[in-house]
């Protein structure tokens, strides 16, 4: 195998692949990148058996097509630190030589047949949407997915496609984010998919141009995504996703609209004085104003006030300010709406046309 | 270091349980009396009157041994309700002099009277008044120790027992503690005392004369601690809100119990008891530990943590039951449960969207949540009845006819 390609493009490809390649694995071959050279392009493949990525680089000069498997991290580091415009990859027996100008290294290769088989994207029955839309939906939801604790199914984002609508939901059991977007030319019978957060982040990482389209392929146990240069597959999380629609309040007694930035500012201000372990900011709503109150046993207490357009009865509810701020960061509108029934039931933040964020309150037994 | 002023009191009742019994039954006066479990039931002595002590009877001694030492020994079953009542009176005497009361048990507490001088006089005057008030209110005798630190105050109350009143002035600390055996130091048990003896250290004075480094080298961090105490250095303050780390209840059975159903009934009983105790203190716990001792004295524990802290008996019991499944079945000499990882019920709680069961379906979750709410309400009502009519007023059906457990069993 012999190929010549642009150094910067190769570096970028290797960097993407290295996001998936495990630094240390019980299967050492997974610490490698599979390099395939065919008649006109070079492909880099990496996988941790949960997520796999195939990255293609065009505009290469192929001397000899072939396949090799080389240490992913070392290859990236070496190529990053080269100074030449172009790089040549040349394999001979068990050695892969990488040359840039007058500099070179020889890497030990592994048996290409040992490398696990990774899926290839097929263009049939796929869903097409703009890359930027996809990235936005992930950004608006994935942060709310469970990380360490909680049910395994909540460690991913639930993606459903129904009635020409693509929807993403994530929850860790304490808050829940739901965002959706209209889509067209939807293939029939797309099953709901729980996609690991890591896979989604990889998807977003390879979207270079937010305005160009990407393709998504829904399978029974994996989901695939294709951009101009990359194909990513993620294994779906097998499990029952919580029945989230039942916990989204439909009718609420209290409804407040307020300026997004102002809420963010006041929350952050008051949160400075709340404790570390039990962070809570109480929102007290009375006609015309919303008061923020936070306190901690060791530090003291803080008050903040903002004017709101509200005519209903007085009420109050307390939230973990970090949770609320997580949502506010992604708000699409200048004004957001908060709705809730009482201080023990969920607070519903409407942060965009098709974006809602549910936060469970913090309660105090007396 | 700030010169330590004389403001720490240690008050300790003399042979508390036994004294309460003698007080309530004057016929027993002058006789060797003790409170404990029956010898036939492998009971141990929990308190012995001074008359009994002259025979060598002491607490924690198996009742059978005590009976051999003192054939005329009067052995009474414990009546914790009366002891608790007396304890309450004693504690309120303390509270009338200073808010800084750190109870160590039912009949023992540290008091800090710094700043009470203008109201009640100096520490010595307060000590005398407390001793007098306790006698007047409860007809029981207390020993009082007054010193510049907790360690010395406790030492002082012990030096002069029974009916003691001992002051250790800052300038006489050395003279008082130097001749005492090292075992008087809090933290020096049998084994440490032996190791110290091997180093040629028998008295507190011997220990104090050694260098700090030498003792630390031999005993590590605990060496630093006992060396400081030997020098009368004890920076611990009287802490009225000593945080409790756990609540537990255990019992050594009169006869080994093998029947799983019976073991479960005990666990239910202990769970209810521990939960009641937690609620009384405004606490709830997240971690449940089951302790089991087999006839060969092999002791095992199993622990499980809940996703949300609880102080409800049935919730604790269901975990205890699950843990019982995880230990080797067979005759058991002792079982007990403990709830730890405690928090104040007033700590704000993050509510959840889908309930607390991690593995169950959504319907089950909703049901569980509703059941917990209901249980909370019912428990609050039951607690009211129990406080008014006694702990046995309301019990679960399976516990009917069983005696109310009494803290740590004999």
């Amino acid at each position: 195998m012999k190929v010549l390609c642009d150094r910067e493009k190769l570096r970028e490809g290797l960097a993407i692949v290295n996001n998936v390649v495990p630094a240390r694995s019980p299967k050492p071959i997974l610490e490698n990148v599979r390099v395939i050279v065919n008649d006109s392009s070079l492909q880099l493949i990496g996988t941790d058996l949960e997520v796999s990525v195939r990255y293609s680089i065009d505009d290469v000069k192929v001397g000899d097509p072939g396949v090799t498997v080389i240490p992913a991290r070392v290859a990236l580091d070496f190529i990053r630190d080269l100074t030449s415009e172009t790089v040549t990859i040349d394999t001979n027996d068990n050695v892969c030589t990488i040359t840039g100008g007058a500099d070179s290294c020889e890497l030990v290769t592994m048996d290409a047949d040992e490398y696990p088989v990774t899926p290839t994207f097929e263009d049939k029955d796929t869903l097409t949407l703009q890359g930027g839309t996809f990235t936005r939906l992930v950004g608006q939801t994935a942060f709310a997915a469970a990380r360490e604790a909680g049910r395994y199914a909540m460690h991913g984002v639930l993606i459903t496609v129904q009635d020409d609508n693509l929807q993403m939901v994530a929850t860790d059991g304490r808050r829940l984010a739901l965002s959706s977007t209209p889509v067209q030319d939807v293939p029939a019978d797309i099953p709901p998919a729980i996609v690991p957060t890591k896979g989604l982040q990889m998807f977003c990482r390879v979207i270079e141009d937010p305005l160009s389209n990407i393709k998504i392929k829904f399978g029974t146990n994996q989901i695939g995504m294709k951009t101009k240069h990359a194909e990513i597959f993620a294994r779906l999380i097998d499990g029952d996703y919580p029945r989230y629609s039942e916990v989204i309040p439909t009718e609420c007694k209290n409804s407040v609209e307020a300026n997004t930035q102002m809420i963010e500012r006041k929350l952050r201000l008051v949160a400075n004085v709340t404790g570390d372990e039990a962070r809570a900011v109480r929102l007290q709503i009375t006609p015309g104003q919303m008061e923020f109150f936070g306190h901690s046993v060791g530090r003291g207490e803080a008050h903040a006030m903002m004017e709101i357009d509200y005519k209903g009865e007085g009420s109050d509810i307390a939230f973990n300010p970090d949770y609320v701020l997580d949502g506010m960061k992604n708000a699409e509108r200048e004004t957001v709406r908060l709705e809730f029934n009482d201080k023990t039931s969920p607070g519903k933040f409407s942060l965009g046309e098709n974006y809602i964020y549910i936060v469970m309150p913090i309660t105090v037994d007396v | 270091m700030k010169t330590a002023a004389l403001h720490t009191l240690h008050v300790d009742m003399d042979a508390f349980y036994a004294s309460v019994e003698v007080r309530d039954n004057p016929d027993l006066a002058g006789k060797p009396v003790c409170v404990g479990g029956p010898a036939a039931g492998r009971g141990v002595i929990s308190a012995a009157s001074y008359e009994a002590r002259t025979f060598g009877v002491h607490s924690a001694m198996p009742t059978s041994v005590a009976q051999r030492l003192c054939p005329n020994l009067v052995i009474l079953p414990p009546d914790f309700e009366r002891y608790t009542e007396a304890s309450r009176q004693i504690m309120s005497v303390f509270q009338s002099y200073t808010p800084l009361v750190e109870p160590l048990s039912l009949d023992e507490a540290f008091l800090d009277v710094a700043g009470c001088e203008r109201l009640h006089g100096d520490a010595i005057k307060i000590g005398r008044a407390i001793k007098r008030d306790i006698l007047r209110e409860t007809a029981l005798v207390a020993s009082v120790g007054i010193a510049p630190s907790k360690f010395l105050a406790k030492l002082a109350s012990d030096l002069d027992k029974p009916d003691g009143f001992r002051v250790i002035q800052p300038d006489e600390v050395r003279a008082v503690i130097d001749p005492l055996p090292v075992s008087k130091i809090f933290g020096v048990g049998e084994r440490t005392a032996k190791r110290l003896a091997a180093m040629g250290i028998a008295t507190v004075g011997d220990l104090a004369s050694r260098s700090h480094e030498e003792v630390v080298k031999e005993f590590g961090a605990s060496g630093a601690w006992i060396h400081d105490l030997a020098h009368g250095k004890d920076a611990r303050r009287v802490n009225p809100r000593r945080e409790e780390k756990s609540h537990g209840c255990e019992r050594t059975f009169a006869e080994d119990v093998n029947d799983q159903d019976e073991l479960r009934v005990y666990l239910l009983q202990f769970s209810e008891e521990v939960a009641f105790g937690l609620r009384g203190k405004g606490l709830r716990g997240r971690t449940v530990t089951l302790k089991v001792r087999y006839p060969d004295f092999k002791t095992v524990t199993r622990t499980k943590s809940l996703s949300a802290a609880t102080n409800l008996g049935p919730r604790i019991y269901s975990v205890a039951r699950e843990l019982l499944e995880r230990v080797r079945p067979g005759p058991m000499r002792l079982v007990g449960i403990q709830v730890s990882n405690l928090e104040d019920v007033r700590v704000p709680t993050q509510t959840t969207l889908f309930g607390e069961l991690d593995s169950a379906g959504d319907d089950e979750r909703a049901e569980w949540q509703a059941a917990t709410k209901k249980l909370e309400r019912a428990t609050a009502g039951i607690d009211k009845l129990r406080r008014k009519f006694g702990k046995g007023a309301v019990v679960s059906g399976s516990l009917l006819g069983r005696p109310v457990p009494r803290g740590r069993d004999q």
Side-chain angles (χ1 to χ4, degrees), chain B residues 208-228:
Chain B
S209 68
R210 299 301 176 96
S211 76
H212 193 261
E213 291 72 33
E214 187 188 353
V215 185
V216 170
K217 210 178 141 203
E218 182 66 23
F219 294 98
S222 71
W225 164 246
I226 62 172
H227 190 262
D228 279 353

Side-chain angles (χ1 to χ4, degrees), chain B residues 220-239:
Chain B
S222 71
W225 164 246
I226 62 172
H227 190 262
D228 279 353
L229 290 184
H231 278 272
K233 284 188 213 161
D234 176 12
R236 291 173 304 159
R237 299 173 68 171
V238 173
N239 180 2

Side-chain angles (χ1 to χ4, degrees), chain B residues 2 50 86 110 115 127 134 136 156 185 193 199 216 242 258 262 267-268 302 309 312 320 322 372-373 400 405:
Chain B
K2 197 183 99 192
Y50 284 88
F110 282 119
I134 289 176
R136 195 157 55 197
I185 293 179
M199 293 165 71
V216 170
R242 199 147 72 138
N258 193 9
E262 173 148 18
L267 289 183
L268 173 59
R302 291 286 180 274
L312 297 170
E322 200 185 312
T372 303
K373 278 222 170 93
L400 264 183

Side-chain angles (χ1 to χ4, degrees), chain A residues 176-197:
Chain A
L176 178 146
L178 184 152
S179 185
S180 64
T181 183
V183 280
Q184 287 164 351
D185 306 323
V186 176
D189 301 326
I190 294 179
I194 307 172
V195 187
T197 318

Side-chain angles (χ1 to χ4, degrees), chain A residues 172 174-175 267-268 270-271 274-283 292-293 317-328 349 357-363, chain B residues 348-351:
Chain A
D172 61 4
R174 299 182 288 269
R175 54 345 195 339
L267 263 178
R268 205 165 274 144
V270 169
T274 59
D276 290 328
E277 60 294 323
R279 277 164 81 76
V281 168
R282 202 174 81 214
L283 311 185
F292 298 72
F293 173 76
I317 189 164
F319 296 113
N320 178 333
D322 300 329
Y323 288 175
V324 179
L325 287 168
D326 280 348
M328 291 292 166
F349 293 86
Y357 182 46
I358 313 289
V359 183
M360 286 304 285
I362 285 177
T363 58
Chain B
T349 316
Q350 170 68 57
T351 54

Side-chain angles (χ1 to χ4, degrees), chain B residues 57-243:
Chain B
V57 175
H58 59 78
S59 53
M61 173 183 272
T63 306
S64 53
V65 177
Q67 268 176 326
R68 225 174 301 138
L69 290 171
C70 176
N72 294 326
L73 189 64
V74 180
I75 299 159
L76 300 164
D79 181 349
F80 282 91
E81 259 168 59
R82 274 191 293 141
Y83 310 153
T84 311
E85 173 57 22
S87 173
R88 213 184 42 74
Q89 289 173 301
I90 294 161
M91 296 296 161
S92 74
V93 169
F94 298 159
Q95 292 288 348
S96 68
Y97 288 93
T98 170
L100 295 179
V101 178
E102 177 180 336
L104 298 174
S105 65
L106 280 182
D107 68 314
E108 194 185 344
F110 282 119
L111 283 71
D112 187 339
V113 296
C116 304
E117 295 85 358
R118 299 205 14 214
L119 214 53
H120 302 293
D122 63 14
I124 296 173
K125 216 167 165 189
I126 293 175
R128 292 256 177 237
I130 285 176
K131 203 167 147 70
R132 181 198 63 215
D133 287 359
I134 289 176
L135 186 64
R136 195 157 55 197
E137 301 250 333
T138 67
L140 296 168
V141 179
S143 287
V144 177
I146 304 172
S149 72
K150 281 168 107 173
F151 163 60
L152 293 169
K154 189 165 164 97
L155 208 64
S157 74
D158 191 46
L159 282 175
D160 208 18
K161 256 178 174 307
D163 199 7
F165 190 87
R166 186 73 162 87
V167 180
I168 301 179
Q169 295 286 357
D171 57 6
E172 57 171 345
V173 170
R174 285 255 64 89
V176 174
I177 67 173
D178 276 354
L180 297 173
V182 278
S183 58
K184 288 282 178 191
I185 293 179
F186 183 73
V188 176
E190 226 175 284
R191 285 179 54 191
T192 311
K194 260 190 200 152
R195 281 169 69 190
L196 286 165
M199 293 165 71
I201 297 172
T203 66
V204 175
D206 293 344
L207 179 57
S209 68
R210 299 301 176 96
S211 76
H212 193 261
E213 291 72 33
E214 187 188 353
V215 185
V216 170
K217 210 178 141 203
E218 182 66 23
F219 294 98
S222 71
W225 164 246
I226 62 172
H227 190 262
D228 279 353
L229 290 184
H231 278 272
K233 284 188 213 161
D234 176 12
R236 291 173 304 159
R237 299 173 68 171
V238 173
N239 180 2
R241 273 189 305 270
R242 199 147 72 138
E243 263 181 42

